Amino acid sequence: VTRAALYVALRRLEEKGWLRSELGEPTPERGGRAKRYFRVTPAAVARLRRTRDVLVDLWAAIPQLQAK
Amino acid sequence: MTPHPPRFAESLLRRALPPGDRDDLLGDLAELYAARVHAAGRTRASLEYWREALALLWHARRSTTGGASKTLQLLTGLRHDAAAALRLHRRRPLQSLTAVLMLATAVGISTAVLSAAQALVFDRLPTTDADRVVRIDETEKGELLRALSEPDVQDWRSAGHIFGEVAAYSTAGRALTGLGDAERVQLASVDADFFPLFRVRPIVGRLIATDDLAEGAPRAAVLSQRFWQSRFGGDPSAIGRTLVLDHEPYQIVGVAPATFHYPDDALLWTSLRIEPVFRGRLFHLLTVVARLADQATLTEAQAAADVVAADLARRDPEVHRARGVAVTLLAAYLTRDVRTPMHFLLLAAALVLLVGCINVSGVMLVRTTDRWRELGTRAAIGAGRLQLIRLIATDVALLTTVATGLGVGVAVAATSAVRRLAPATLAAREHIAVDREILLWCVAMAAAAAILTGAEPAVRVARMRVLEALGGASRAITMRRFARHALVAAQMAGAVALLVCSLLLLRSFVQMVRVDSGFRAEGAAIAPVRLPLRKYPDRERYEPLLQALLDRAAKTEGISAAALAFMMPLSAGRFVVDVRLPEPATRPPIEVLLNTVSADYFRAMQIPVVRGRAFTTADIRTSPQVAVVSARLARTLWGRVDVVDEWLHGGSPGERWRVVGVVGDVKDRELTADPQPVLYRAFAQFPANFVTLIARGERGDSADRLAAQLRVLIAGIDRDIPTDAVAPLQSLVDAAVARARFVTILVAAFAAVAVAIAVVGLYAAISYTVQARAPEIGLRLALGATRTAVVRVVAHDVGVMLVAGLAVGLSAGLTGAQAIRQLLFDVTPWDGTSLVLTVVTITTAAALGSAGALRAALRIDPARTLHAG
């Protein structure tokens, strides 16, 4: 995964409301620029849980695979 | 301090990224950059930064809807243009490929040759300001003569104001012992002014100082960086250690920098010491270099030198009669033998580059015509002129970028080939490498050509009338026929000029190899044997040893004749003596080369005995003094060859020899020069401590095996004699033609490349002409024209280009031939064979090139072309 792809993904997640972010303090080793901290929103956690449940159910619904 | 990330990448990002994200992303990258600099270094970190930045730019462009920055728009546009250009290349892959390959070859070959020239001409110079350093040589009757004597040097020192430092040195080969196998090293004995004159500073220790020159002081040695690395692994503790050269100890005092290798790629410099007996004005042992004083010019220096020389002649007329002094720039002196070939090669390189560029021009012209309709369509559906011009510019840029990239590869490969081809005797050989500046220059040249050729279609596009363009391409083509033909003719002219010169050099080389050296070089080996006077102080010590060596060699199985000689043909070093007839009034004395050889010399060298006999083992120290003379000596002095039993006077007063034999002439110095008269004396009557052992093998014995046998023999008599210079006798001849061979191969390779490029260009141009005339040819065929008529149409086009190209090329070639006259041996610049061969080669190439196009022309289907028209 490239860094650029990661940034894009993070921003999309934020647009959809699954992430919230805030800027920290600027530091010298960053050229005086602030750092962005991401936090997962409760809605995102709930959604993640639901997605997981659906996926697990889905797998459970598939019959045992047997090699012949 | 925290390192700053690449500024350009950062500013690109700053412009491309949306304001909300900008700060934290740039911050992340900056932090990462700092960490990487710490872990992997700045270069690596910068590369990584660029990679991330480009990826981010890519994503940013994709996710931006509207509002993208101008830079990004431009980048996107360029990408589309490049894609369009690539599509075109894919449609005509052969055309693009040939253009790219030709340009790459031209850039690569030119870079390689120019780099070689750079290395050979400039790297020989000991200082960056070599135009301020001169050599002072004595002349006799206008010819550069020998080195200067010790009192002479003092005179020059006191000549004062016109010269800054004046330094004297002499060069010699010495046997290095005590460090592994005995080895012969080339060294220069220098005085205290030598290094300061060249502004050289030691990298370790110190250089030669005035104290080292004092009577009784230990002799000092300065190592070259090369020698220091190879023999001491660059260990600073080498300073203070002792080197044994010709059984004399030298104390190592310092190391000179790698950039300094004057004179003759010296391995070592030692403190100069002149034995008191050699200090008179008769002993010309020293080479003198001087730095011109500030403001002083070469002319002023020469004028001042003339005054000193005149003064010397007045004071000492006996020694200095008819002698003058020449002040030569060191740079000019050092490059004297490579100057002509290299100037010629520079010209040839420029020609190849020109031919390559013209070819690209041709391709670009053809492509624009090709695209005319497409460009018209683009204009019709709303493309701006600027966009169209950019389309063409991208195309050109793409072509040149790929070509120059490949060109760099070709340059590297070609340069290493040139290095391998260079004669081993060439001092600057190791310095041949791709020169970055020259590479840039060649690439710039190619780019300039591409831009110029791109400019022409761009102007045309700017003036394009859309409807006309949509109407068809044929009009555009007819407008350009002259230009295209002129380009092809110019290419041919370049190829013709190079071909003429390279054929001349080739013929001259063949003549040179065919020259009779006067001896048979195959099937014999030679070994220089130098017995240092310190270990073998007089003939009583060294003569028995050399005799023992000779006897052992003669008895060795596989050796049919063994001999000793003081001097070898085709080698440096001359020992001259004045000889005269017994009656001095009849003829003035003449200067001859003196050689002293053992009994079997003429048999070992296979030099024919024309009259009388060769030396025998009966010619010993106590028997009557005898001489063998070369045919030329006999003819010069007596005016006839049969001079057996005549008497010859010379050397010291009262010295005279009876001539017992006359032998064939040998080339003493160069294959291309007339042989000098030679006087041979019997080794037993006039021995030397510095000789060459010659061994002639029995039939079928290889020279390499003989050389190996000689090494064993020499090691058997004294382990301290270096055997690294034992070689086949043929090596003398090879060395004599090495320079000519090098130049010939380079120029021939050049000509081959140029001819190939021109032929491909010719082929492309002709086939395009035929294609462009397809409607016309179709019409002719439809109206009942015979195939012969069609052939005539095409042949006419080719003929015009051929005649123009040959006319211009031949006159350029003849001019070039005049310029390289100096390099030609036994071939006149107006050599008919070379001219005819050139015409035939180029005509054949043109005919072959047009054959394919003709075949295509004859296949034209009249009905289809008429429809399309």
Side-chain angles (χ1 to χ4, degrees), chain B residues 424-763:
Chain B
T425 45
L426 218 57
R429 183 185 174 187
E430 293 309 313
H431 305 288
I432 298 176
V434 174
D435 185 281
R436 205 172 301 176
E437 236 170 80
I438 289 172
L439 181 64
L440 277 178
W441 189 83
C442 286
V443 167
M445 197 75 170
I451 288 167
L452 277 180
T453 49
E456 202 267 353
V459 169
R460 224 168 256 284
V461 164
R463 294 208 198 112
M464 178 168 68
R465 287 196 204 129
V466 176
L467 277 178
E468 247 174 46
L470 284 174
S474 48
R475 186 181 299 266
I477 291 156
T478 34
M479 284 194 300
R480 270 154 228 242
R481 187 184 290 171
F482 176 75
R484 215 175 47 241
H485 285 191
L487 286 179
V488 175
Q491 275 184 62
M492 273 209 287
V496 167
L498 272 176
L499 201 58
V500 168
C501 293
S502 70
L503 281 175
L504 282 175
L505 284 168
L506 210 64
R507 275 175 58 76
S508 151
F509 179 67
V510 170
Q511 299 286 60
M512 207 182 287
V513 174
R514 275 203 202 139
V515 162
D516 182 14
S517 58
F519 60 93
R520 203 168 79 88
E522 302 86 21
I526 50 171
V529 178
R530 187 177 196 275
L531 299 179
L533 285 174
R534 188 163 275 266
K535 194 170 174 185
Y536 305 97
D538 46 43
R539 73 183 279 183
E540 272 65 40
R541 313 282 169 93
Y542 62 75
E543 212 188 332
L545 197 75
L546 290 175
Q547 192 57 53
L549 179 63
L550 193 58
D551 291 344
R552 274 194 223 177
K555 281 193 203 107
T556 304
E557 198 181 331
I559 294 179
S560 65
L564 297 174
F566 175 55
M567 290 210 302
M568 292 299 290
L570 296 177
S571 305
R574 297 152 70 80
F575 196 90
V576 293
V577 63
D578 282 350
V579 294
R580 58 182 171 82
L581 295 176
E583 311 79 34
T586 33
R587 271 213 186 89
I590 60 165
E591 195 182 70
V592 299
L593 296 175
L594 174 64
N595 201 355
T596 169
V597 300
S598 69
D600 264 348
Y601 176 75
F602 301 109
R603 206 154 67 80
M605 293 291 286
Q606 301 208 343
I607 297 171
V609 177
V610 188
R611 292 283 192 284
R613 63 166 175 94
F615 295 122
T616 65
T617 43
D619 297 315
I620 54 168
R621 200 170 172 180
T622 48
S623 64
Q625 298 283 309
V626 291
V628 168
V629 298
S630 72
R632 177 165 293 248
L633 191 155
R635 242 179 264 120
T636 317
L637 206 56
W638 284 280
R640 60 195 155 88
V641 176
D642 193 3
V643 295
V644 174
D645 288 338
E646 294 285 351
W647 285 89
L648 190 60
H649 288 235
S652 341
E655 205 175 5
R656 57 181 207 145
W657 314 280
R658 193 170 59 85
V659 177
V660 294
V662 182
V663 294
D665 290 314
V666 293
K667 299 282 185 177
D668 51 281
R669 230 179 184 184
E670 280 176 68
L671 279 175
T672 53
D674 278 342
Q676 300 278 307
V678 189
L679 165 68
Y680 297 94
R681 294 190 54 193
F683 194 78
Q685 298 182 342
F686 187 53
N689 67 320
F690 190 172
V691 297
T692 300
L693 173 66
I694 305 134
R696 162 79 48 191
E698 274 155 10
R699 191 182 294 276
D701 242 14
S702 86
D704 287 324
R705 231 196 76 195
L706 284 170
Q709 284 175 322
L710 289 187
R711 279 196 195 94
V712 175
L713 283 171
I714 292 170
I717 61 158
D718 184 345
R719 288 223 151 262
D720 285 350
I721 301 172
T723 57
D724 42 0
V726 178
L729 180 56
Q730 179 69 36
S731 66
L732 291 182
V733 180
D734 290 345
V737 297
R739 187 172 68 117
R741 171 177 292 149
F742 185 47
V743 174
T744 309
I745 289 174
L746 280 187
V747 176
F750 251 173
V753 169
V755 171
I757 290 179
V759 168
V760 173
L762 192 66
Y763 180 81

Side-chain angles (χ1 to χ4, degrees), chain B residues 42-54:
Chain B
R42 189 173 279 263
T43 321
R44 191 66 202 273
S46 296
L47 273 178
E48 290 283 329
Y49 192 96
W50 266 104
R51 201 176 57 78
E52 306 247 15
L54 288 178

Side-chain angles (χ1 to χ4, degrees), chain B residues 72-227:
Chain B
L72 278 177
Q73 266 179 13
L74 188 70
L75 283 175
T76 323
L78 282 181
R79 212 173 58 81
H80 287 306
D81 288 352
L86 273 179
R87 272 202 301 279
L88 255 174
H89 290 301
R90 233 173 279 150
R91 207 160 63 206
R92 285 179 168 278
L94 212 62
Q95 192 187 56
S96 309
L97 197 71
T98 45
V100 162
L101 283 183
M102 284 183 294
L103 191 59
T105 315
V107 166
I109 298 283
S110 304
T111 306
V113 169
L114 294 178
S115 297
Q118 172 92 346
L120 297 188
V121 176
F122 300 111
D123 279 356
R124 284 196 175 186
L125 307 183
T127 51
T128 45
D129 57 349
D131 54 334
R132 301 299 300 162
V133 179
V134 295
R135 251 181 87 106
I136 303 175
D137 289 284
E138 230 171 68
T139 58
E140 190 168 301
K141 295 166 211 151
E143 256 181 77
L144 269 196
L145 195 67
R146 52 201 96 180
L148 272 66
S149 70
E150 212 256 338
D152 291 342
V153 179
Q154 295 313 325
D155 288 333
W156 292 113
R157 284 231 161 82
S158 49
H161 68 280
I162 208 79
F163 298 117
E165 294 93 341
V166 176
Y169 67 86
S170 68
T171 55
R174 297 249 188 277
L176 170 72
T177 47
L179 280 174
D181 285 342
E183 184 193 353
R184 207 175 126 80
V185 293
Q186 194 62 31
L187 59 81
S189 298
V190 306
D191 65 13
D193 285 324
F194 181 80
F195 287 111
L197 186 150
F198 289 113
R199 311 277 186 260
V200 175
R201 284 170 200 292
I203 50 173
V204 186
R206 63 176 180 86
L207 300 172
I208 303 293
T210 319
D211 292 345
D212 297 323
L213 305 173
E215 213 71 49
R219 297 201 66 176
V222 171
L223 310 183
S224 64
Q225 212 253 358
R226 237 168 353 130
F227 188 81

